[in-house]
Amino acid sequence: MQDMSGKTVLITGPTNGIGRATAVNLAKAGANLHLLCRNAAKARTLQEDLRKVNPEIEVEVLLCDLGDFASVRQAASAFEAKGLALDVLINNAGILNTKHVVRPDGIEEMFAVNHLGHFLLTHLLMPALLRAPAARVVVVASGAYLMCKTLRLDDLAWAKGFRPLKAYGHSKLANILFMRALAKRLEGSAITVNALHPGEVTTGLGRQNGWWVSALHRLASPFFRNPNQGAATSLYLAMSPDVEGLSGEYFDDCKVEVTKPWGADMNMAEDLWTASEALVGGVPSLFNSKAEVPK
Ligand SMILES: NC(=O)c1ccc[n+]([C@@H]2O[C@H](COP(=O)([O-])OP(=O)(O)OC[C@H]3O[C@@H](n4cnc5c(N)ncnc54)[C@H](OP(=O)(O)O)[C@@H]3O)[C@@H](O)[C@H]2O)c1
């Protein structure tokens, strides 16, 4: 395993599933961890567990609900106040709703949490990423992007034709297109960004929808990966020297995978970027143009 001693990693959604396995392995590798969690009790338990895994590392908690943009701004400024260089940001948290949940701001919840919260967080952490010698942004997307070929920027509430897996796929397509547009802006900088599909993994994903999701997970578990296996590609992108300097790619099983055309549609990626800036209530103007980042 790669030695991550002295490196700082911020991971979202580490209290369960793939995120938890990723955090445990990063702790073993010696990384100092910043855990972005929405549940204080779960965060404290995880913090204690990780300190037992490796008593040498720092483990800090950032309480934040990614669906609440004020909370994202607060967590990012608490992190920024430490003045740390951020070596790795892992945008891992995610939800899968089977019910059609539209927030008061008219945005379907999966799009808000899975994409917009991370879009805002990544922008706000850019100064810390720029302080690191060669920072990496890892975006946990999903092969579910295959289920949604276009973005619904004109109907983010999914007023028409809501289907749970399609809307989940929509949020994951947004993850991939955000990665593509960010990579373009980061060209020539020391920061890389890549996305991944972790495989089908037995986790807590979707279990808030009812007992039957847990039953489905149990039935599928012999065929699914366990969280440790599911964390492999996230860990590869976060740590491996193999991907040094590589950016703008989508990975599956620790290998670059060519996406379907809609996963690399730069017009759609730019439209998403513009819409997301407005939807989160504005972001700092770190990028001078569509393909420039401060050196
Ligand atoms: N499992 C799969 O087969 C699979 C396949 C492809 C992609 N993925 C992706 O893998 C990532 C990890 O999912 P998982 O399968 O490990 O699911 P999981 O076990 O349900 O874990 C999700 C994590 O995200 C956190 N989270 C959810 N909503 C949040 C919010 N509003 N603010 C902050 N944190 C929030 C959860 O916190 P709590 O503990 O407080 O709920 C939890 O720590 C997701 O992006 C998912 O889309 C999973």
Side-chain angles (χ1 to χ4, degrees):
M1 186 182 288
Q2 194 68 20
D3 181 16
M4 293 290 279
S5 308
K7 301 236 184 200
T8 299
V9 179
L10 192 155
I11 177 165
T12 71
T15 45
N16 205 45
I18 296 163
R20 186 185 167 90
T22 307
V24 168
N25 281 288
L26 286 165
K28 287 181 185 162
N32 293 320
L33 294 173
H34 293 258
L35 312 169
L36 188 144
C37 312
R38 63 175 169 177
N39 180 308
K42 282 190 191 177
R44 262 195 305 279
T45 308
L46 176 64
Q47 189 179 31
E48 283 162 24
D49 291 350
L50 292 172
R51 283 180 175 151
K52 283 182 206 142
V53 169
N54 187 346
E56 305 294 318
I57 60 168
E58 288 164 25
V59 186
E60 302 291 338
V61 169
L62 286 166
L63 280 182
C64 172
D65 182 337
L66 284 159
D68 174 350
F69 304 143
S71 157
V72 174
R73 288 181 193 279
Q74 219 164 34
S77 69
F79 182 82
E80 182 58 20
K82 297 173 198 273
L84 292 169
L86 180 58
D87 296 285
V88 182
L89 166 64
I90 306 180
N91 289 340
N92 164 81
I95 51 168
L96 194 173
N97 291 336
T98 55
K99 294 185 190 86
H100 186 187
V101 183
V102 183
R103 296 145 39 106
D105 61 3
I107 303 170
E108 185 280 320
E109 193 183 40
M110 290 185 276
F111 184 78
V113 171
N114 298 357
H115 166 61
L116 289 175
H118 284 118
F119 174 86
L120 178 58
L121 181 72
T122 308
H123 270 82
L124 300 173
L125 294 177
M126 204 45 73
L129 290 162
L130 283 163
R131 270 182 228 123
R136 299 180 181 195
V137 180
V138 177
V139 176
V140 183
S142 171
Y145 87 90
L146 291 167
M147 288 180 232
C148 190
K149 293 186 183 178
T150 52
L151 291 176
R152 289 270 190 126
L153 297 178
D154 56 350
D155 178 19
L156 283 173
W158 283 77
K160 284 186 209 136
F162 175 84
R163 278 190 282 129
L165 287 180
K166 190 164 184 188
Y168 172 70
H170 179 254
S171 73
K172 293 286 138 183
L173 173 61
N175 287 160
I176 296 170
L177 293 176
F178 169 48
M179 177 279 290
R180 302 278 196 210
L182 182 60
K184 191 174 156 210
R185 284 164 174 79
L186 293 173
E187 268 170 22
S189 83
I191 307 174
T192 61
V193 54
N194 292 289
L196 69 111
H197 171 55
E200 281 71 46
V201 191
T202 307
T203 65
L205 194 68
R207 289 190 200 226
Q208 82 283 3
N209 296 299
W211 62 267
W212 56 274
V213 180
S214 299
L216 276 181
H217 271 280
R218 259 198 308 281
L219 282 174
S221 63
F223 313 101
F224 276 22
R225 297 176 184 186
N226 65 40
N228 229 10
Q229 294 164 328
T233 306
S234 296
L235 289 164
Y236 178 73
L237 290 176
M239 300 200 282
S240 172
D242 297 358
V243 289
E244 228 166 70
L246 196 69
S247 194
E249 301 288 357
Y250 174 77
F251 283 73
D252 188 358
D253 259 340
C254 301
K255 286 186 223 64
V256 173
E257 185 168 290
V258 177
T259 57
K260 294 286 181 194
W262 59 93
D265 182 327
M266 291 313 289
N267 290 327
M268 209 151 60
E270 289 304 329
D271 289 347
L272 174 69
W273 187 285
T274 306
S276 303
E277 281 180 334
L279 290 165
V280 299
V283 289
S285 50
L286 284 164
F287 303 100
N288 303 323
S289 77
K290 282 186 176 174
E292 230 179 278
V293 67
K295 304 288 185 300

